[in-house]
Amino acid sequence: MERADEGHQGLRQLEESIDWTDDNLAVYGRIALEYGLRLHTMHREWAEWASGRIT
């Protein structure tokens, strides 16, 4: 869970550090960043679910 949280925080920091524009590169960058955020969220939720099954 820690790795997913760290990755999510890192992507949020990256998102905040970028001066987003409306050009195609920025649009696709945001799409890729959103994918990463959702992936880390899914990993964290799965890890919480799995740890509840083990203990």
Side-chain angles (χ1 to χ4, degrees), residues 27-41:
V27 170
Y28 291 119
R30 267 190 183 264
I31 289 169
L33 188 115
E34 182 65 25
Y35 176 81
L37 288 169
R38 291 176 187 223
L39 188 62
H40 283 294
T41 298

Side-chain angles (χ1 to χ4, degrees), residues 1-53:
M1 289 181 277
E2 287 180 36
R3 289 177 80 187
D5 287 338
E6 290 171 3
H8 195 272
Q9 289 173 351
L11 288 176
R12 282 289 179 207
Q13 289 173 351
L14 177 64
E15 180 182 36
E16 293 170 4
S17 73
I18 295 173
D19 184 23
W20 296 101
T21 61
D22 289 335
D23 66 354
N24 285 339
L25 185 60
V27 170
Y28 291 119
R30 267 190 183 264
I31 289 169
L33 188 115
E34 182 65 25
Y35 176 81
L37 288 169
R38 291 176 187 223
L39 188 62
H40 283 294
T41 298
M42 186 272 307
H43 283 161
R44 184 181 64 244
E45 289 173 355
W46 177 86
E48 289 170 353
W49 172 85
S51 71
R53 301 299 183 268

